[in-house]
Amino acid sequence: PDKPMTRQEMAAAMVRYIKYRGIKLPRENKAPYEFTDEEKIAEWAEEYVKALRISGIVAGDDGVNYNPENGITRAETAKILCNLLSAEDKAWQGYVPSTEDDAIILGAKYLYEGGTTVTGSLGTDIKEADGDGFPYPAIKVYRDAKSAERAYMQIADATGISLSVIGHDFESKPVIKICYKYGDGSEKLPEALYTARRYEDKTNSLTITQGESDEGWLTAYVNIADSLKAYSDVDFSYYLVNVLFKPFSENQDEEFYIRYYGLFESEKEARAFKSSDMKDYLNNYYRYSNLDINELSESKDREYQTQIRNRVNEILNTKSELTPEQIKASGHDVYYLSSVNGNDSNSGTSPDSPWKSLDMLYDKKGNPNSPVLVSKAKPGDGVFFERGSEWYAKVYRNYSVQCLRVENGVSYGAYGTGDKPMFSNAIDFGGGNGNWLPTKWKNVYVLDQIDPDVYYCTEAGDIGNIVFNDGEFYGIRLLPETDMAPFGTDGMKTKNIGYCTNGMECFFAGGTSYENPGTALEHNLEYIHDRHEGKLYLYWDGEKNPADSFRDIKVSRNGAIVSGGEKNLRLDNLAILYSSNYGGTVGGKNFVASNCEVGFCLKSISNVASGFETFGSTDGSHIYNCYFHEIGDGPMSVQGGSADNKQLMQNVLWENNVVLCSGCGVELWNNFQNGLEINEDGKSPYPNILNNTIRNNILAYIGHGLSQYDGSNVLAGHVVNSTQSGCDMENCVFEGNLIYKPYNKMYLAHMASDKQPKGWLGYNNTYVADPEYVHMAFAYETLERLDHRMYKYRRTYIPYNERYLKYLASVGIDPGSEYYIYSDKTFDHDKGVFFMTSYYVETEFIPPIS
């Protein structure tokens, strides 16, 4: 016992310990060498040393010697233990069954949760183990004869259950075993069909043989060795092998359960495998490491709320990063504007002589009734707005309202002290400024200051949202079931928007039969915009007129507040607030936005609502230290969507921003579902989403606040909104972000792992969510290769709870992340108030907006 341990004795002890603990070691690190002194290793120690070498735990000295007889030092021991931990993590994060496994056994739990191996039938769901005595869940496959036309997968006109594996060498394991039973207790054999691609025109019938009973379940065997010969041209490392089991008779309601599905070298090996063997296999398969799941404590919750509040205040009070001195030093011109101290007779070339109106930035040429606006600011110039100033939109042309038009290569910033200069597509009708007139209907007021020629409220125009007291309260918009239907139409109703909040009370809104505003409006701050008459009706039962009850009533109109600038645009320290849809629509080449506030951009009937959005190809978007709130869709958004355009989205960096109470957190949307082009290798010829990073952002209360259900479209609830349908995605990272108390879905996006990096790679994020009302909800790729022609529509709705988070960790998604679970009792979920404004729920802690 007192003798020092040698390095080969250490190898034996270590490998025995690894086997005893059931630790999985990686196989992909097979060293391309042997130790130089291999012959010195004792015969009894060879297998132990080899196991450590091929898993990367030991590598030898500089001369690649193992030195088996040497004593092991304290430093070597520390290094080997650290290497063991690293190897264990590498083995289990991103591990999928390998052809080096004794067998590939896909238990029902994996089949269901994985979302990539079970398709077909009219429906599949999980049959849990509670009360049924099943040691593991079973997949329930069912056919409803009355709904047979809803079958969504057909091969050779046969609907059934398709069990599929990608990237597997079926020549080495051609025998498939299925463990199953019928709901009616029958012992018939299902039909088996085979194809190498999911939508192959030709399929082969397979011979299926009944096996022995397995704990009361039926088994059957299929050998596809002969069928493989028909597909000698298929690269099975890439394409999908698909075996369809057709258990159903036509025109009959039936149930079919699958317990497990295995791939074996021989029928003998398959027959020897029993349900009792699943325990160790599946427990090992579901092993995870470094998964940090915690109950959300009150102190931790306050810590996050304080962090959010402090970050918002930091952004709102950030000094100007862009200065006039920088522009002048580069030899370019600078222009100054102030709505407070400006005068259009000034020169506009110094802070002591600023212009007042935005029109001064342009020379008007041509037709006086429809002039061409020529910018005075040229590429490289700077335009600076005095803090505390406010500008509101004018109608430059029909169907488009904008406040600030920006130009290529021009930088826009702030000077002076105080609040960020504000640009808006709203008019303030509060604080005694509005003229809300009583109507013949009780508690219904009409705003008589809406001039269709200025405010453009014909059918093409739109008033999208009304915000009271800088966001303390919200208007609840009611729409006719037919958007353009006038009042007085018999049998019309307003759209039912469910149980909602205006920030001061909760109620059911909409679903009301109406003939006039008096019968349509029933609750405080409900409103209707009659675009035919150019009138805005508001319900308010306060003692005073609405104009005297609120310090401000911002009534927003349609259009982008800021627009233009196809390339090389820079915005710094601007406040862009109150629009029915866009904060800013900008070009996709080298757009930079810093230290800005963008908020209350939503509720247009067109259902488009973003903060900063680029539509089409994007190359270079850097948004940092900005505060976004109450955005209907994507606060930071890059969108494609047309199969004709083949947009490229690359070099996006969005970092250190705060997003509160918006429909989603971030959005890169490139949708190629129509007209998709695919090369022979199964890939899109357009690698569309490349080199994008989203890091260190706070994405809080996504799906809450004003981004609520509007009766026609659910905008709320995707923290990351992205797709790569038919596109390649490379080097895209989502890391270090805080996702705090969202509703609905974390991801509407493809996620990936280090082993399968086609998708968003998540690292070291923090999630705080109520598992009852949040899904991870993404389309993900964890197998070695993916054929987009087969999986471009596939999404998996994975709940946010400990069981499923362990599964995600086991396949290598989002390593190093923290998860906090809480139960939210402040929302009336039974009535669907998932969008209740955060100001109403946690007024004490929510960061101030001004």
Side-chain angles (χ1 to χ4, degrees), residues 5-7 10 70-80:
M5 177 178 279
T6 67
R7 288 172 54 83
M10 176 279 303
N70 288 7
I72 187 167
T73 68
R74 288 163 56 87
E76 290 169 343
T77 303
K79 179 71 179 295
I80 287 171

Side-chain angles (χ1 to χ4, degrees), residues 218-469:
L218 303 174
T219 64
Y221 308 91
V222 172
N223 192 324
I224 64 171
D226 291 337
S227 296
L228 290 172
K229 298 175 184 178
Y231 296 95
S232 58
D233 61 328
V234 173
D235 177 5
F236 291 107
S237 66
Y238 185 83
Y239 284 105
L240 179 76
V241 167
N242 196 347
V243 174
L244 175 75
F245 291 93
K246 184 187 175 188
F248 305 120
S249 303
E250 292 188 13
N251 302 319
Q252 235 178 319
D253 297 343
E254 298 191 59
E255 295 180 352
F256 181 70
Y257 297 91
I258 301 174
R259 195 178 193 188
Y260 66 80
Y261 170 61
L263 304 172
F264 300 87
E265 291 183 1
S266 65
E267 187 173 324
K268 179 180 179 182
E269 183 186 39
R271 287 181 179 275
F273 185 88
K274 302 295 182 184
S275 291
S276 56
D277 299 321
M278 278 205 302
K279 182 177 180 180
D280 290 338
Y281 188 92
L282 291 181
N283 282 345
N284 280 340
Y285 183 79
Y286 280 89
R287 187 182 180 88
Y288 65 96
S289 55
N290 296 334
L291 184 62
D292 191 356
I293 302 177
N294 307 280
E295 288 290 333
L296 181 65
S297 65
E298 182 177 348
S299 61
K300 193 67 176 179
D301 197 22
R302 285 178 176 267
E303 177 185 325
Y304 284 132
Q305 291 172 357
T306 300
Q307 178 185 349
I308 296 170
R309 180 179 66 245
N310 291 344
R311 278 293 295 128
V312 170
N313 285 330
E314 285 176 4
I315 294 171
L316 292 176
N317 295 295
T318 299
K319 295 181 179 180
S320 293
E321 182 176 325
L322 176 70
T323 66
E325 290 71 27
Q326 294 169 345
I327 303 297
K328 292 177 181 178
S330 64
H332 292 280
D333 295 330
V334 173
Y335 302 92
Y336 296 84
L337 291 96
S338 171
S339 69
V340 179
N341 299 307
N343 190 304
D344 287 348
S345 63
N346 289 339
S347 67
T349 58
S350 76
D352 298 324
S353 185
W355 292 321
K356 185 178 184 67
S357 68
L358 300 178
D359 287 343
M360 295 304 295
L361 288 171
Y362 302 95
D363 291 323
K364 297 182 180 180
K365 298 182 178 181
N367 186 344
N369 296 322
S370 181
V372 175
L373 303 180
V374 179
S375 174
K376 295 176 181 177
K378 305 305 179 186
D381 291 347
V383 178
F384 290 85
F385 308 95
E386 185 174 20
R387 290 175 178 267
S389 294
E390 296 181 354
W391 284 274
Y392 297 90
K394 291 184 178 180
V395 177
Y396 288 109
R397 57 191 182 277
N398 286 351
Y399 305 103
S400 178
V401 177
Q402 62 182 357
C403 182
L404 176 63
R405 171 178 157 179
V406 292
E407 302 295 333
N408 291 342
V410 178
S411 298
Y412 298 83
Y415 72 94
T417 59
D419 294 337
K420 302 178 192 294
M422 187 192 75
F423 303 86
S424 177
N425 276 2
I427 293 179
D428 185 357
F429 293 110
N433 296 322
N435 190 11
W436 295 87
L437 301 179
T439 67
K440 62 183 178 180
W441 305 293
K442 184 179 180 181
N443 298 329
V444 176
Y445 292 83
V446 64
L447 188 63
D448 75 340
Q449 293 168 271
I450 298 179
D451 183 347
D453 292 333
V454 176
Y455 213 69
Y456 208 71
C457 292
T458 61
E459 284 189 3
D462 186 31
I463 292 176
N465 63 69
I466 306 178
V467 180
F468 302 80
N469 292 358

